[in-house]
Amino acid sequence: GENVEQHPSTLSVQEGDSAVIKCTYSDSASNYFPWYKQELGKGPQLIIDIRSNVGEKKDQRIAVTLNKTAKHFSLHITETQPEDSAVYFCAAIGPDGLTFGKGTHLIIQP
Amino acid sequence: DVKVTQSSRYLVKRTGEKVFLECVQDMDHENMFWYRQDPGLGLRLIYFSYDVKMKEKGDIPEGYSVSREKKERFSLILESASTNQTSMYLCASSLLLGLAAEQFFGPGTRLTVL
């Protein structure tokens, strides 16, 4: 089955700086890679996704890159703001369904 | 706007009790899911259902069962709760399985088993 590794488990950055979260996956058949943001007391919410036929996707301050050869994908957040503080999960969808990474707790320092 | 609701935000039960966690979605989604979320372990799939009365085991089904009698409702049942089932339980729904299968999550139920 699919195995998704996510790093780091905790990331602390100064407000205004960039944050990068990295994930690797094992199943080359996986073809859809969503990122979820979970704020305190809430369920995860999709923030951006990328399909296997695209190398990069951007939505305002958030971007995701995908390297299919290396089987890794990354979330980039620029100009971080206090409201970016949350737990972020990457995931991969393959033949066996959706597999989540273990999550990254992003802390934005004022 | 998709809405997934869960019957309780917080629940405290005793060991051996039968526990029902209810989930309702209002977007006519075919697929519904139950996950548990534990620190350092991320989200782990317990069961999912792709149609009424249909269910499939996820990665950690032991100690749980599910029921889907109506399309909009998916219940997670702990037949005899144990302390190691203390966790955050998340319900989700999606229109499609596989590609383009965005999952919409409920707010979660934090279950404590004493």
Side-chain angles (χ1 to χ4, degrees):
Chain A
E2 176 65 276
N3 182 44
V4 177
E5 299 282 342
Q6 182 172 348
H7 299 280
S9 55
T10 303
L11 178 60
S12 181
V13 300
Q14 290 293 127
E15 183 178 346
D17 287 350
S18 295
V20 180
I21 302 170
K22 298 181 179 181
C23 289
T24 61
Y25 61 99
S26 60
D27 190 345
S28 56
S30 291
N31 52 19
Y32 174 64
F33 307 92
W35 285 88
Y36 285 84
K37 175 184 181 182
Q38 185 176 24
E39 297 174 321
L40 198 62
K42 297 182 179 180
Q45 185 173 13
L46 181 73
I47 54 171
I48 196 167
D49 56 15
I50 192 166
R51 304 188 191 286
S52 58
N53 59 347
V54 175
E56 184 174 358
K57 183 176 178 180
K58 192 172 181 181
D59 182 4
Q60 299 183 344
R61 295 185 299 108
I62 294 173
V64 58
T65 58
L66 171 65
N67 183 326
K68 282 202 70 181
T69 303
K71 287 190 279 190
H72 66 69
F73 56 113
S74 301
L75 178 71
H76 304 253
I77 305 173
T78 58
E79 300 171 16
T80 53
Q81 299 171 5
E83 56 265 33
D84 295 329
S85 291
V87 178
Y88 291 81
F89 293 95
C90 64
I93 286 185
D96 295 331
L98 182 65
T99 302
F100 285 89
K102 290 183 170 45
T104 296
H105 186 193
L106 177 61
I107 301 165
I108 308 300
Q109 304 276 8
Chain B
D1 203 23
V2 177
K3 195 166 185 183
V4 180
T5 56
Q6 295 183 228
S7 52
S8 305
R9 293 300 303 273
Y10 300 93
L11 210 52
V12 180
K13 296 292 182 180
R14 297 208 173 272
T15 301
E17 279 194 78
K18 191 169 185 176
V19 182
F20 292 86
L21 302 182
E22 304 285 340
C23 175
V24 177
Q25 51 95 3
D26 66 358
M27 279 300 291
D28 203 34
H29 282 175
E30 302 293 330
N31 310 291
M32 297 187 75
F33 308 80
W34 274 108
Y35 295 88
R36 63 177 283 176
Q37 182 178 19
D38 300 288
L41 296 177
L43 279 72
R44 293 180 292 167
L45 182 64
I46 304 171
Y47 267 97
F48 70 97
S49 168
Y50 54 89
D51 201 354
V52 174
K53 296 192 185 295
M54 306 302 290
K55 61 184 180 183
E56 293 285 343
K57 292 181 180 179
D59 300 319
I60 51 164
E62 296 78 19
Y64 303 94
S65 62
V66 290
S67 172
R68 188 149 180 223
E69 297 297 317
K70 293 184 178 181
K71 191 175 187 179
E72 67 270 17
R73 189 179 296 270
F74 192 33
S75 302
L76 181 69
I77 303 156
L78 287 66
E79 294 289 341
S80 178
S82 62
T83 55
N84 63 10
Q85 292 178 311
T86 291
S87 186
M88 170 70 86
Y89 290 88
L90 290 163
C91 174
S93 72
S94 72
L95 185 59
L96 302 168
L97 277 175
L99 195 63
E102 177 182 357
Q103 292 192 15
F104 295 86
F105 285 84
T109 296
R110 185 166 293 283
L111 172 67
T112 302
V113 183
L114 301 176

